[in-house]
Amino acid sequence: MSTFDVRTLGCQMNKHDSERIAGMLLARGMTPVPTGEVADVVVFNTCCVRENADERLYGQVSSLSGIRRERGTVIAVGGCIGQRDGETLLRTLPQIDVVFGTHNLAHLPALLDAAAGSPGPVVEVDDPSEGDFTSELPSEREHPWHAWVPIAVGCNNFCTYCIVPYVRGRERSRTLEDIVSEVRRLAADGVVEVTLLGQNVNSYGRDLYGTPRFAELLRAVAAAGVERVRFTTSHPKDLSDETIRAMAETPQVCRHLHLPVQSGSDRILKAMNRHYTQESYLALVERLYVSMPDLALTTDVIVGFPGETDADFEETMNTVKAARYDAAFTFIYSPRAGTPAASMTDQVPRELTQPRFDRLVTEIQALALAKNVPLIGTVQRVLLEGPSKRDPRVLTGRTGGNKVVHVPLPAGVAPDQLAGMLVDIRIDDAQTWFCMGTLNSEA
Ligand code: SAM
Ligand code: SF4
C-alpha cells in the first residue's frame, strides 16, 4: 500500500476530516496518488445530509470494482454514511474493505492494516456521542495559508429534517485554550486565514462552560496571530448581540456571516424545530446590517419541506428579498430515514418543488448581483488563492465577504507566486458570482 486518494463527498466538516485522513496516511509513509492514476487505497469521506452524496458514493465505488479485482485496490468508506449504515453498507457495496464511523477516523491506519490481514471487510463504527475529540491528529492542509479549525463537533438542535445529530452525536466543544494554542501554532506555520468549524458555532462552549463563549473565542482567536478569521455555521436562535459586537469590533474577523434561514414561513419553521420566526430572523438581520453595513450575508434554504404550501413558499421569497443575501445554498428537501420529517405524511411532490426552487434560484442570483455591483470602484482586501481553474493567466482570490475576485496575472509573476498573499484590488466589474479587478499598485 503506497499511494492514497481521499475523496470528499460532503460539507466543510468533511473537508477538514479529509485533511486529517491525508495527514495520517502521509505520516505512515504513503504518498498522494498522481493525478489520473488510481491509488492503492481509496478513502471515501462521506456526508449523508442529502441524497446526492449517497448516489455519488454508489457510483464511484461501483466504478472501482474492476480495478479492485485486478490490482487489489483497497476501498475504505468513512464519515456520515459509514456512521449511518455501518455493516449494512456492505450489502449494497460488497466491494468495500473498510467501513469506519465519524468517531473512528483516528483508527483508519490500524483498520487498513487489519483489512490487509483479514479475509473479509473490517467495520468499526462507535457511538458518535462517545470518545475523544480527535482534533490533534496530523493534518495535510489543502492550502498552506488556510486551515480549518474544528471548535465543536455534533449538534443538539434536532432540526426535524436533519440527520447530523444522529451521525455526529451530541455537541462537544474543545476548550478555548486548546483552540487558541492550535491557532497560534498555525499562524507560526504561515497560515493566514482560519475557518472555525462547528454545526452551530454560536452555542460553542455551552457543554463545557454552562454558557456559550463564542464571542470570547472569536476575539481570542483573532488575537492569536492570523490575519483572517472565518466561522461556520451560525444558528439564528443562538447568535447573540455579544457575538455581533465581537465581529464588528475585531478587524481580523471577516465581514461574512452564513446564517441559514431554511424557510420564511413561521408554520414551517416551527415544524422544522428552528426556534425563530420570520420576524425575529429579519430583526436579527437588521441588527447585523446596522452594526456592519458592509456585511456579506449568505444562507441555506430548503424548498418543499413536508406540508409547504404556495403561501409558505411566498413567505420564504419575501424573507429572502428582505434579507438581501449575497449568496445562498438552495436545496430541495430530501427525506432522511430516521428523522421526524421523513415520516411526515404531507411530503411535497417534485412537480411543485421544482418550480419553487427555480424561482428561488433566480431571485438569489438577482440579489447576488445587486450586492456585487456597488463594489465596482471600491478597493477590496483580497486573499489570493492561485491561478484560476479556467485560465492560468488569471489569479483568483476572495474578499473578506467571501466574494470571488479575478485579476490578470501581473507580468513577470509566476501563477503560484502570490498564493496566500493579502493584496488590495480595485474592483472594475461585477458579475453574479464573481468580480473582476486590478491589483491596486497597478490601478
Ligand atoms: N448546522 C448547519 C446549520 O444549521 O445550518 C449545517 C447543517 S447541514 C450540513 C447544511 C444544510 O443542509 C442545512 O442548513 C440545510 O439547509 C441542508 N439540509 C439538511 N438536511 C436536509 C434535508 N433533509 N433535505 C434538504 N436539505 C437539507
Ligand atoms: Fe442539522 Fe439543525 Fe444541527 Fe444544523 S442545527 S446540524 S440543520 S440539526
Side-chain angles (χ1 to χ4, degrees), residues 6-280:
V6 184
R7 303 190 190 177
T8 312
L9 308 179
C11 63
Q12 279 131 338
M13 203 58 111
N14 285 62
K15 276 193 203 158
H16 172 64
D17 284 346
S18 293
E19 291 186 348
R20 295 199 288 180
I21 292 171
M24 285 189 293
L25 298 182
L26 278 173
R28 76 196 307 254
M30 297 177 71
T31 52
V33 71
T35 313
E37 289 180 27
V38 177
D40 300 314
V41 176
V42 181
V43 184
F44 290 93
N45 184 23
T46 63
C47 168
C48 59
V49 168
R50 285 171 299 278
E51 232 161 357
N52 67 351
D54 285 74
E55 287 158 9
R56 284 167 65 202
L57 176 71
Y58 291 116
Q60 292 199 27
V61 170
S62 305
S63 74
L64 288 172
S65 301
I67 200 138
R68 178 176 177 271
R69 268 195 308 275
E70 281 165 30
R71 285 214 353 225
T73 297
V74 173
I75 302 176
V77 177
C80 299
I81 295 181
Q83 183 69 41
R84 184 195 62 188
D85 294 354
E87 247 182 85
T88 59
L89 194 55
L90 300 168
R91 284 194 219 133
T92 31
L93 289 171
Q95 306 91 326
I96 297 173
D97 301 286
V98 175
V99 179
F100 60 105
T102 51
H103 285 254
N104 305 89
L105 191 134
H107 288 176
L108 180 62
L111 295 172
L112 291 173
D113 288 341
S118 156
V122 173
V123 179
E124 189 180 282
V125 178
D126 288 345
D127 180 337
S129 288
E130 287 169 8
D132 298 335
F133 197 127
T134 49
S135 58
E136 293 302 321
L137 295 176
S139 187
E140 175 62 10
R141 294 193 303 272
E142 187 183 350
H143 302 294
W145 41 267
H146 176 266
W148 305 103
V149 177
I151 63 169
V153 289
C155 184
N156 295 346
N157 291 317
F158 290 93
C159 302
T160 53
Y161 50 81
C162 183
I163 193 89
V164 168
Y166 306 92
V167 290
R168 294 269 177 183
R170 295 303 84 72
E171 181 177 278
R172 273 158 304 148
S173 306
R174 280 171 82 186
T175 65
L176 210 135
E177 295 73 26
D178 191 18
I179 298 166
V180 172
S181 60
E182 181 178 354
V183 175
R184 274 202 203 102
R185 278 198 304 278
L186 290 167
D189 197 27
V191 168
V192 177
E193 179 182 275
V194 291
T195 306
L196 308 180
L197 285 180
Q199 295 297 345
N200 176 4
V201 292
N202 309 115
S203 63
Y204 162 78
R206 192 179 272 149
D207 54 319
L208 285 183
Y209 307 114
T211 173
R213 288 176 65 178
F214 184 62
E216 184 185 339
L217 177 73
L218 214 45
R219 292 182 195 270
V221 165
V226 285
E227 298 198 51
R228 273 186 171 183
V229 181
R230 298 185 183 279
F231 57 90
T232 196
T233 301
S234 287
H235 196 306
K237 78 178 167 65
D238 292 313
L239 180 63
S240 65
D241 287 341
E242 217 185 325
T243 295
I244 299 177
R245 245 193 328 275
M247 273 188 87
E249 291 173 2
T250 314
Q252 293 90 341
V253 177
C254 289
R255 290 293 171 89
H256 171 218
L257 184 68
H258 188 66
L259 192 65
V261 65
Q262 313 297 2
S263 168
S265 152
D266 289 350
R267 209 174 61 81
I268 297 295
L269 286 170
K270 195 160 195 305
M272 286 177 162
N273 195 30
R274 289 291 289 178
H275 297 280
Y276 52 85
T277 60
Q278 181 194 86
E279 191 184 349
S280 67

